[in-house]
Amino acid sequence: MKIAVIYHSVSGNTKKQAELVEQGAQSVSGIEVKTMSIENPDNEWIENSTAVIFGCPTYEGSCSWQMKKFLDTPEANFEGKLAGFFASQNWPGGGGADFAEMTMIAAALVMGMVVYSGGVSMGYPPIHFGAVSHKAPASDIDRERARKLGENIATKANELFARE
Ligand SMILES: Cc1cc2nc3c(=O)[nH]c(=O)nc-3n(C[C@H](O)[C@H](O)[C@H](O)COP(=O)(O)O)c2cc1C
């Protein structure tokens, strides 16, 4: 089963988060992950993916405009796929990453995706709307959150979509 991790990153922080999300998803058996930037998406891989995990930096308290544009002008069909989210921000105490995630979640819902994070149901650390990181995942908890998000999405993709 394939998963696509799609990120926007200018200074590399969200890219590092994306790599950890990939590690977490790849740790689940039966899952193949490809990580790609919005500048160079592999649309064939996306079309063949069961789940897509989106990540962006927080800009002005919301999703980066580049990620919003990517979601507003999709070149692949995202309908029916499981969706997860992550965002990086500059301020650990609330720079708007949750709102950046909610903006991506809104777009995913409109495209007909099945939105999931695992919430508090999948053990420690809990993932609220998605994995949030201060800059490049600067702390162990930020790194663990990113890995855990990937693991949660891959586990749920197997549960929902794996064929016997
Ligand atoms: C135009 C712009 C607006 C930003 N606005 C915010 C913000 O509202 N809150 C915040 O915490 N960080 C903000 N940042 C910082 C970035 O979200 C943060 O540095 C992020 O980790 C960058 O990700 P990247 O390295 O993947 O590009 C902003 C950065 C830019 C360039």
Side-chain angles (χ1 to χ4, degrees):
M1 184 177 294
K2 289 185 167 56
I3 291 184
V5 177
I6 308 178
Y7 66 88
H8 168 235
S9 183
V10 174
S11 46
N13 296 343
T14 318
K15 181 169 191 260
K16 285 187 191 136
Q17 231 184 332
E19 288 160 3
L20 293 162
V21 171
E22 174 180 329
Q23 271 177 32
Q26 200 69 75
S27 72
V28 175
S29 105
I31 298 289
E32 282 180 281
V33 189
K34 184 162 182 178
T35 297
M36 59 196 83
S37 133
I38 56 168
E39 277 107 27
N40 193 18
D42 179 341
N43 287 322
E44 195 181 336
W45 185 278
I46 295 169
E47 294 275 356
N48 290 321
S49 289
T50 303
V52 183
I53 312 177
F54 300 94
C56 72
T58 305
Y59 283 1
E60 308 305 338
S62 186
C63 168
S64 68
W65 65 265
Q66 292 92 334
M67 175 56 89
K68 183 69 167 63
K69 182 180 174 197
F70 177 82
L71 293 166
D72 286 352
T73 54
E75 290 178 3
N77 182 9
F78 290 94
E79 188 205 336
K81 298 182 191 302
L82 189 65
F85 306 88
F86 57 98
S88 69
Q89 63 183 358
N90 214 21
W91 303 105
D98 279 351
F99 197 78
E101 288 169 351
M102 290 307 286
T103 304
M104 293 188 282
I105 286 169
L109 287 170
V110 172
M111 291 192 287
M113 301 187 80
V114 180
V115 169
Y116 185 69
S117 73
V120 297
S121 73
M122 297 289 283
Y124 187 85
I127 308 290
H128 290 78
F129 307 147
V132 168
S133 160
H134 170 219
K135 298 191 178 175
S139 61
D140 287 346
I141 188 69
D142 284 355
R143 287 189 282 275
E144 190 46 33
R145 272 202 207 110
R147 275 193 292 266
K148 183 79 178 154
L149 173 75
E151 188 188 325
N152 288 358
I153 297 294
T155 302
K156 186 54 75 178
N158 264 338
E159 260 175 52
L160 292 177
F161 300 109
R163 297 207 182 94
E164 294 296 320

